Amino acid sequence: MRIGVISDTHGDRASIKQAVKVVPNADMWLHAGDYSQDAAYLASLVDVPVYAAKGNCDGQTSAKIDEFVEAAGKKIWITHGHRYSVKQGAGDLIEWGRQYEVDIIIYGHTHIPDQLWCEGLLIFNPGSAAEPRVGSGTCGVIEITNEGKIREQIIEIEL
């Protein structure tokens, strides 16, 4: 299972197109908010399921603050992160992730890519596709093998 991960697109369709280009053959896409409405545009570019969480800049949207999906036997929690103090670190995410009994946490909000493992739990921020705080725009890919192993990667987007 190959999962494309994107966040903080802020209505920038060019960055979404580039993310799809640099993460080919995804079986699913996850959008961690701040412009979760962009998930509909993303869905128009790919022929796979797209899931999104609501960010703090989203206004009226049908996306939920917390979205849960399952992929290849792994439980994934998608959240923007603004309600979990992610700018101060991953502590709240880890605590809630344990309570939710998830294997992977996807979040955004900081506009800075991050990948952290904590006792078998992956905490993954793809950064911002459109408005990075440092360097180039980024997105991510998570692969879950048939044996259940999780591999993650941050990928730069040329804007």
Side-chain angles (χ1 to χ4, degrees):
M1 167 75 60
R2 184 173 167 87
I3 304 168
V5 186
I6 195 166
S7 186
D8 296 283
T9 51
H10 293 275
D12 185 332
R13 290 184 170 200
S15 68
I16 299 165
K17 282 183 182 178
Q18 282 299 108
V20 169
K21 184 177 176 181
V22 299
V23 182
N25 305 316
D27 299 302
M28 170 189 300
W29 274 91
L30 309 177
H31 191 298
D34 269 4
Y35 232 71
S36 62
Q37 298 91 325
D38 286 341
Y41 178 68
L42 174 59
S44 76
L45 299 176
V46 297
D47 192 25
V48 298
V50 177
Y51 300 93
K54 181 178 181 176
N56 61 302
C57 294
D58 285 3
Q60 292 291 79
T61 179
S62 61
K64 301 173 194 168
I65 290 289
D66 297 303
E67 182 67 70
F68 296 89
V69 298
E70 190 169 313
K74 301 295 182 184
K75 190 173 178 184
I76 303 170
W77 170 31
I78 313 162
T79 186
H80 186 58
H82 61 289
R83 296 178 66 186
Y84 301 96
S85 305
V86 296
K87 290 186 177 180
Q88 283 72 48
D92 284 355
L93 287 178
I94 293 167
E95 182 179 328
W96 282 101
R98 294 275 182 243
Q99 288 184 42
Y100 292 143
E101 298 180 340
V102 298
D103 302 292
I104 301 169
I105 301 170
I106 304 296
Y107 75 102
H109 191 54
T110 64
H111 292 226
I112 300 170
D114 192 27
Q115 46 197 13
L116 168 70
W117 281 94
C118 182
E119 298 175 10
L121 175 64
L122 172 61
I123 303 96
F124 188 82
N125 183 335
S128 174
E131 299 178 8
R133 294 272 195 284
V134 293
S136 300
T138 53
C139 63
V141 64
I142 295 174
E143 294 190 44
I144 304 170
T145 68
N146 290 337
E147 297 78 30
K149 183 173 178 166
I150 300 169
R151 291 188 290 248
E152 77 285 355
Q153 181 182 6
I154 300 294
I155 301 172
E156 287 190 9
I157 299 172
E158 292 188 29
L159 300 176

